Amino acid sequence: MVGMVGVVGEDNSSSLPQWLPILLGEKFFTPCLLHSSNSKRNEKTFFCLRCCSAICFSCFSSHRSHALLQIRRYVYHEVIRLGDAQKLLNCSLVQPYTTNSAKVIFLQHRRGKRRALRGGGSGNLCITCFRTLQCPYLFCSLSCKINHKTEITNKKHNNSDHLPPPSTPEETAATPAAIKLVKKKRSCVKSLATVLCQPRCFPVVSDITTVVNRRKGVPQRSPLL
């Protein structure tokens, strides 16, 4: 009875499906305003992916050709079957639970006690709300995973906005700072070449002849007695 649309590749696009934030913000198991007279079937337990709205069982006649997602209850919280969710989203790393022989995942994180994040603590925690999880899962609900992904995307956008615009080689060469840097490098290279090419010997004396023919003095004969 409930139709499902094709697989939406969450990893293939950075943007989320249009209906997903609306699904996470809807209130289910509340009376439908269009069918308030029928108390047995007026609870909103379905979500129309085409109209992006929560509907009740009596609304099927106007959504007959639309793709619908059934919302269920588990420990007083809204859940969807993992098999239905995997046809629409990438539900990896979201911890599933078993109810009525079927695996389900929570739409929203559950209120209650959370384990404090400690340096020496052990156990696996949800990286968004710090609820205790089984390994190797990282999120306790679909909303925790979506919030984490949105936060990472916003940080990437903010970091890219603060980066300076890339400059071309022509622009870099034309700037006075670049010209000054090139001159400085050339001067350093020239000074280094001069030092390396100097002969490693003693200083050369200008008067070579004096050094070669240098004597102690004019010899003198002793006087004859």
Side-chain angles (χ1 to χ4, degrees), residues 77-107:
H77 288 80
E78 286 77 15
V79 297
I80 55 178
R81 283 188 174 179
L82 181 60
D84 296 341
Q86 287 177 337
K87 298 176 183 179
L88 303 168
L89 299 166
N90 181 2
C91 301
S92 61
L93 302 180
V94 179
Q95 178 171 322
Y97 297 85
T98 303
T99 174
N100 296 330
S101 302
K103 289 187 177 182
V104 297
I105 58 174
F106 286 92
L107 290 180

Side-chain angles (χ1 to χ4, degrees), residues 91-219:
C91 301
S92 61
L93 302 180
V94 179
Q95 178 171 322
Y97 297 85
T98 303
T99 174
N100 296 330
S101 302
K103 289 187 177 182
V104 297
I105 58 174
F106 286 92
L107 290 180
Q108 302 288 346
H109 67 85
R110 291 172 292 166
R111 298 179 181 179
K113 295 182 179 180
R114 304 175 184 176
R115 180 179 294 183
L117 189 61
R118 300 176 182 177
S122 60
N124 192 35
L125 303 178
C126 175
I127 61 179
T128 303
C129 68
F130 308 126
R131 177 173 288 276
T132 305
L133 299 176
Q134 299 175 359
C135 292
Y137 302 106
L138 300 180
F139 306 98
C140 68
S141 62
L142 184 60
S143 63
C144 285
K145 180 175 182 178
I146 300 305
N147 292 338
H148 179 71
K149 180 180 178 181
T150 303
E151 183 180 358
I152 293 178
T153 304
N154 293 337
K155 287 182 179 180
K156 289 182 179 180
H157 288 319
N158 293 336
N159 294 336
S160 61
D161 293 340
H162 290 84
L163 292 176
S167 56
T168 60
E170 292 79 6
E171 294 175 350
T172 305
T175 56
I179 297 175
K180 186 177 180 180
L181 180 62
V182 171
K183 289 183 177 180
K184 185 177 180 180
K185 288 183 177 180
R186 289 179 178 176
S187 177
C188 294
V189 172
K190 185 177 181 181
S191 301
L192 182 61
T194 304
V195 173
L196 295 177
C197 293
Q198 275 187 347
R200 296 186 179 183
C201 58
F202 295 101
V204 179
V205 181
S206 57
D207 193 358
I208 300 178
T209 307
T210 306
V211 176
V212 175
N213 299 327
R214 185 174 59 184
R215 297 181 179 179
K216 296 181 179 180
V218 179

Side-chain angles (χ1 to χ4, degrees), residues 21-28 30 44 47 52-54 78 108:
I22 303 175
L23 170 66
L24 298 177
E26 275 282 6
K27 292 183 178 181
F28 297 94
T30 57
K44 295 185 291 185
F47 184 79
C52 297
S53 61
E78 286 77 15
Q108 302 288 346

Side-chain angles (χ1 to χ4, degrees), residues 31-38 42 44 54-56 58-59 62-63:
C32 177
L33 300 178
L34 299 178
H35 303 92
S36 58
S37 59
N38 190 349
N42 70 335
K44 295 185 291 185
I55 62 174
C56 67
S58 301
C59 296
S62 57
H63 299 268

